[in-house]
Amino acid sequence: RTMPPWKPWPSGRPAAESESLPTTPVRLRRLLGQAEDRLRWSLPPPPPAPPSAPSGPRRPPGIHVSAARLFYAAASSAAPAAAASLEELLQQHRIAPSAPLAADALGRLPSRLAFLQGLGVPDAAVAAVVRRNPSVLSTEPQALSPGLDYLLSLGVADLGGSVRRAPDLLGCSVRRDLGLKVAILQSLGVRDIARYLSRNPRLVSIDVERQMRPAVELLSSIPELEVGRVLEQLPTVGLNAEAIAPRIEYYRSLGVPRLGRFLSRHPPLLAYSLEANVQPKVAWLKEQGFGDVPTLLSRNPSLLSMPVEASLAPKLALLLGPLGRQIGDIEHFPRILNYSVEHLTLRHDFLAAAGKAGAHGLTRTYRSSPHTFATKLAKRSLDEFEAFVARRASTRGPHRRAADAFLARYEGEGAKDDQRRAAVAAARSRLDGLLEAARKA
């Protein structure tokens, strides 16, 4: 019997237009299923099988085999040790045995596995990558590389780590998927997109309408909030509207003034646990006698990032005790709690030696430059203050000047940029070599 005529588009779409569409593995599987359905309903039932023959329908030979069978075949043809290793990976990660692949992909399977391992995907993670994206075994490496080329062009060098965490990067559409999302982030103000993608390569799997849009609209609805800054520092949580909405509502109910500026100055506030971190610290601050805690937090949001026992409590005890300050002084300059205990005692002791202890407020005492502090506040020379610092350093360790810390940080950033460029160039060369090897194979 011949198969009855079949129109690919029931709505009357022209056949020429359907033939111009790309034939993807998903489309092939859909077409195969439709063909099997037509055969099953149009042909008469098969004759009964002999007693010795196995009963039940059999899949026509040569159409496709499963990913698990391809793994077993490749492993057994390579080496017994590799077969045992792949069997363990398949059992550990529970790769579904129903992923259809073309039978001619069996001979190219070793090159597919070598391509994944050459990218830097650990051997123990190969099975997980295949389980989450089975098409990597049936697709040519050249078709999997556009997303990787795009990552390298943006400055992302760790291709293996990115693929391990987001297998959908292999074979994704740059123009319609990843590139669109990157353009959205850049339009919102995310500047270091390479760092963002290194921390959150799963951006490729995020749905624009169902996930990105609600989070961006929620953040944009808060006046004075810098959406790009928040997303850059919270690449994962920032696009989860269900996670950040309760925290935004809590800070709003707490009465924090200028909520958008408050969250922009310290974006990790949207990731802190309310029950285990934020609420206990707010209660502790109220117990210490601070009256207007919301205003205190708005002027120094990083207070919620400091541990109570190891940081806040010792500094508060020092300020209210030996340094002779009051709660009102700390409320006027909340950033005093950001300084180290060593810095607080160093300037206080020098003022005490000069007979000027407590003569100036916290802001002027601890925010002044060394020259202004020594000559204007302590009425001493800068050489005397530096000698005092050197004597203190000989007993308590070296005192790092702010200028030295800035220069070290600047040089460190420059060294990191050079390392990133070298890593990207090495990854580019490695990818080109893998693609050339795949072409020859």
Side-chain angles (χ1 to χ4, degrees), residues 84-114:
S85 175
L86 285 173
E87 283 187 10
E88 294 176 359
L89 288 176
L90 290 172
Q91 294 174 0
Q92 176 183 357
H93 296 283
R94 300 178 181 178
I95 294 180
S98 59
L101 296 170
D104 58 355
L106 178 60
R108 297 191 299 270
L109 181 60
S111 63
R112 302 293 191 273
L113 299 178

Side-chain angles (χ1 to χ4, degrees), residues 163-199:
V163 170
R164 178 181 59 83
R165 296 168 59 190
D168 290 340
L169 286 170
L170 297 173
C172 71
S173 173
V174 174
R175 182 176 61 86
R176 293 177 297 177
D177 190 357
L178 186 58
L180 173 63
K181 296 170 184 176
V182 168
I184 292 174
L185 292 176
Q186 291 176 333
S187 66
L188 292 172
V190 177
R191 294 174 294 181
D192 194 349
I193 197 66
R195 182 171 180 266
Y196 183 96
L197 289 175
S198 298
R199 297 173 62 187

Side-chain angles (χ1 to χ4, degrees), residues 185 195-200 203 206 230-240:
L185 292 176
R195 182 171 180 266
Y196 183 96
L197 289 175
S198 298
R199 297 173 62 187
N200 185 25
L203 176 70
I206 294 178
V230 172
L231 293 179
E232 191 167 1
Q233 296 196 28
L234 299 176
T236 304
V237 180
L239 293 178
N240 189 346

Side-chain angles (χ1 to χ4, degrees), residues 80-156:
S85 175
L86 285 173
E87 283 187 10
E88 294 176 359
L89 288 176
L90 290 172
Q91 294 174 0
Q92 176 183 357
H93 296 283
R94 300 178 181 178
I95 294 180
S98 59
L101 296 170
D104 58 355
L106 178 60
R108 297 191 299 270
L109 181 60
S111 63
R112 302 293 191 273
L113 299 178
F115 179 74
L116 291 176
Q117 295 170 348
L119 290 176
V121 179
D123 294 341
V126 170
V129 170
V130 174
R131 177 172 55 87
R132 294 167 60 186
N133 188 2
S135 63
V136 298
L137 296 180
S138 61
T139 309
E140 294 291 339
Q142 291 78 7
L144 300 175
S145 61
L148 304 178
D149 288 332
Y150 186 63
L151 290 180
L152 290 174
S153 68
L154 294 175
V156 180

Side-chain angles (χ1 to χ4, degrees), residues 18-62:
S18 65
E19 293 173 358
S20 65
L21 296 176
T23 305
T24 62
V26 176
R27 178 171 171 78
L28 284 175
R29 290 198 294 271
R30 185 169 65 250
L31 293 177
L32 283 173
Q34 293 174 354
E36 290 176 355
D37 290 340
R38 293 197 309 277
L39 285 172
R40 183 169 59 252
W41 290 107
S42 61
L43 297 179
S52 59
S55 59
R58 297 185 59 188
R59 186 179 301 276

